[in-house]
Amino acid sequence: MSSSTYERELEVALDLAKQAGAVIAEAFDQAKHVDTKSTSVDLVTSTDKECERVILGGLREAFPSHSFIGEESHEGGGFSIGSEPTWVVDPVDGTNNFVHAFPFVCVCIGLLVDKQPVLGVVYNPVIDELYVAVKGQGATCNGKRIRVSQCASIRQAIVSTEFGYDRTAQGVAEMTGHVSRLLTAQIRGVRSLGSCAMNVCSVARGRLDAFFEGKNESFGPKPWDMVAAAIILTEAGGVMRDWQGGELDITSGRIMAANSPQLADEIIACLGGNS
Ligand code: MG
Ligand code: MG
């Protein structure tokens, strides 16, 4: 598979993202039947399951030799990701938002080759934003080229984070401690959109300057939250990191997206004193 040609893969991913998006849009204002997963705040609905069925079914039919990871069909435990083309799917990122009809909800379809993100489609059908990137070809939203912001320091930055599913006293103290450190560093604003992929795509288009989330494999974003948006961000000129320092590991449960290495380093240093 050449790194410059994923035309067929992109065509299929776009079609399936739009199909799943229509399912989400149809259900968005309706009453939802909600079940819980790992904790009482980790939610799943019939829409998550239906969208995953549509997307994985379509991908398997189009690319039978590839591998697949989907949030709702993942068996739990760790991730064994090989070098073969591997599709990584979050049928609904922001399920809590979806349940509450808060409009930051998206479909994420990403493709790894040699364990690296090479293609990403993130589609929010509620506010109608379709983010697309292919490695080496730039990133777009609704067909228009997007770029990260020029923000150069925490004092001019709007940064988002998420509070995840950890409701232990220690976990909550760590998360609020991070926010406290950023505020004390005179950050311009802190946001929380409720969807990892929407946060990362918001950095990619320059309406946020950075985003960080997660603690470990148990409490933090998973590969399906990261892969599609990661290639969108890097193709828009941004950087993906581990907010505790070092490169992004999609199985670590920790993510940072920033407009530049400089801002990433400044935020990592600011957060670092908390541990
Ligand atoms: Mg998700
Ligand atoms: Mg999900």
Side-chain angles (χ1 to χ4, degrees):
M1 191 181 283
S2 155
S3 64
S4 61
T5 58
Y6 294 104
E7 284 155 41
R8 171 82 178 129
E9 288 79 0
L10 181 58
E11 183 187 2
V12 171
L14 282 171
D15 177 50
L16 294 170
K18 286 175 183 169
Q19 286 186 45
V23 173
I24 293 170
E26 169 81 21
F28 189 69
D29 290 317
Q30 313 287 323
K32 289 114 179 167
H33 177 79
V34 180
D35 288 321
T36 60
K37 298 196 289 185
S38 64
T39 74
S40 64
V41 291
D42 182 6
L43 309 181
V44 64
T45 71
S46 57
T47 300
D48 298 68
K49 294 171 184 170
E50 171 63 7
C51 289
E52 179 151 317
R53 190 190 64 74
V54 167
I55 296 166
L56 286 188
L59 291 173
R60 284 200 167 98
E61 191 180 328
F63 306 108
S65 68
H66 291 186
S67 293
F68 306 90
I69 298 172
E71 176 175 12
E72 308 309 338
S73 52
H74 183 67
E75 297 282 314
F79 297 94
S80 63
I81 298 168
S83 58
E84 74 279 11
T86 301
W87 293 91
V88 186
V89 172
D90 191 341
V92 178
D93 189 41
T95 297
N96 207 328
N97 284 345
F98 173 71
V99 167
H100 289 261
F102 188 78
F104 290 92
V105 172
C106 57
V107 179
C108 303
I109 303 177
L111 178 62
L112 297 168
V113 173
D114 291 329
K115 305 183 185 185
Q116 299 301 312
V118 297
L119 179 154
V121 173
V122 172
Y123 179 40
N124 179 331
V126 183
I127 58 174
D128 192 27
E129 292 183 352
L130 174 63
Y131 296 89
V132 178
V134 174
K135 191 170 177 60
Q137 298 178 25
T140 60
C141 178
N142 296 346
K144 286 189 188 161
R145 197 68 174 256
I146 53 172
R147 290 287 304 173
V148 292
S149 75
Q150 299 289 310
C151 174
S153 83
I154 281 181
R155 286 171 176 260
Q156 281 90 45
I158 294 186
V159 175
S160 62
T161 188
E162 294 297 333
F163 300 98
Y165 305 139
D166 188 352
R167 295 293 181 271
T168 63
Q170 184 191 351
V172 171
E174 285 171 7
M175 290 185 283
T176 54
H178 295 150
V179 173
S180 177
R181 284 180 176 277
L182 290 169
L183 292 171
T184 307
Q186 310 302 311
I187 197 168
R188 190 171 280 172
V190 176
R191 302 289 183 269
S192 185
L193 302 185
S195 153
C196 179
M198 289 308 301
N199 280 302
V200 175
C201 288
S202 293
V203 179
R205 69 178 296 153
R207 69 181 165 203
L208 292 173
D209 303 301
F211 160 66
F212 67 97
E213 180 185 1
K215 179 175 178 177
N216 54 33
E217 294 88 341
S218 300
F219 291 114
K222 303 293 189 286
W224 48 75
D225 300 308
M226 303 187 193
V227 171
I231 185 71
I232 291 165
L233 179 76
T234 55
E235 286 295 319
V239 296
M240 298 299 307
R241 294 278 186 82
D242 179 335
W243 66 260
Q244 290 188 353
E247 298 302 310
L248 176 72
D249 171 354
I250 61 169
T251 64
S252 68
R254 291 184 302 277
I255 189 173
M256 162 168 266
N259 70 340
S260 64
Q262 293 77 14
L263 187 61
D265 288 344
E266 191 181 357
I267 295 170
I268 288 167
C270 181
L271 298 174
N274 192 53
S275 57

